[in-house]
Amino acid sequence: EPGEPQGALVIVASLIDKLPNQGGITRTTEAMGASGVVLPDRAALRKPAYTSVCVTAHEHVPMEFVPPDRLRAWLDARRAEGWEVVGLEQTANSVSSWEYRWPSRRTLLVLGHEQRGMPAEIIAACDRCIEIPLFGHIRSLNVHVSASIAIADWARHWKAK
């Protein structure tokens, strides 16, 4: 939106199926002062598996609803409006989140599906991808955990000033 502050961040969780993950992402988005969250539909807002994790965060953070089959077109439209589109996904060209410099323009942080990750067409819609550095035997984190780490890094950059 034209009134969004410099460094605004919206979390795009349209590909996330599990309600506790959607709830945790919503809660972290609100708690860290990000600008909004995008979920696949409104159904989660009425389900205890979502509301027990997000508590009341969904009442305090702007929300939009974009189903997965419309996500690519929605991302393309946001880019045309001047948004930076950043995927949180391990790819051949992804940059460490520790080295990533969050842009001053409005940014969408796109999250992949819990098991399948991010489809190629959504990766292609991203201006860049970032990944959380991992050092153990397990090469992935729960999507809610990954999102929380990335959102906290953004907040450290933009909110600590």
Side-chain angles (χ1 to χ4, degrees), residues 9 11 28-29 32 34 86-89 95-98 100 102 107-111 130-133 141-158:
L9 181 70
I11 312 308
T28 301
T29 297
M32 298 305 289
V86 177
L88 183 57
E89 183 69 47
V95 176
S96 165
S97 63
W98 292 0
Y100 183 64
W102 291 95
T107 302
L108 301 172
L109 180 64
V110 184
L111 308 175
I130 61 172
E131 66 180 73
I132 308 294
L141 296 169
N142 171 280
V143 67
H144 168 217
V145 173
S146 294
S148 296
I149 291 169
I151 295 166
D153 187 54
W154 165 84
R156 181 183 54 81
H157 181 82
W158 283 107

Side-chain angles (χ1 to χ4, degrees), residues 69-133:
D69 63 342
R70 293 193 183 143
L71 183 57
R72 175 62 194 256
W74 186 86
L75 292 172
D76 291 343
R78 297 300 81 75
R79 181 182 299 98
E81 295 171 355
W83 289 80
E84 178 90 0
V85 181
V86 177
L88 183 57
E89 183 69 47
Q90 296 170 341
T91 70
N93 298 315
S94 57
V95 176
S96 165
S97 63
W98 292 0
E99 298 169 9
Y100 183 64
R101 296 185 52 85
W102 291 95
S104 60
R105 70 185 205 176
R106 302 173 299 172
T107 302
L108 301 172
L109 180 64
V110 184
L111 308 175
H113 183 268
E114 290 95 331
Q115 279 81 40
R116 297 184 297 276
M118 196 175 295
E121 75 163 345
I122 301 301
I123 292 172
C126 295
D127 296 305
R128 63 199 32 79
C129 285
I130 61 172
E131 66 180 73
I132 308 294

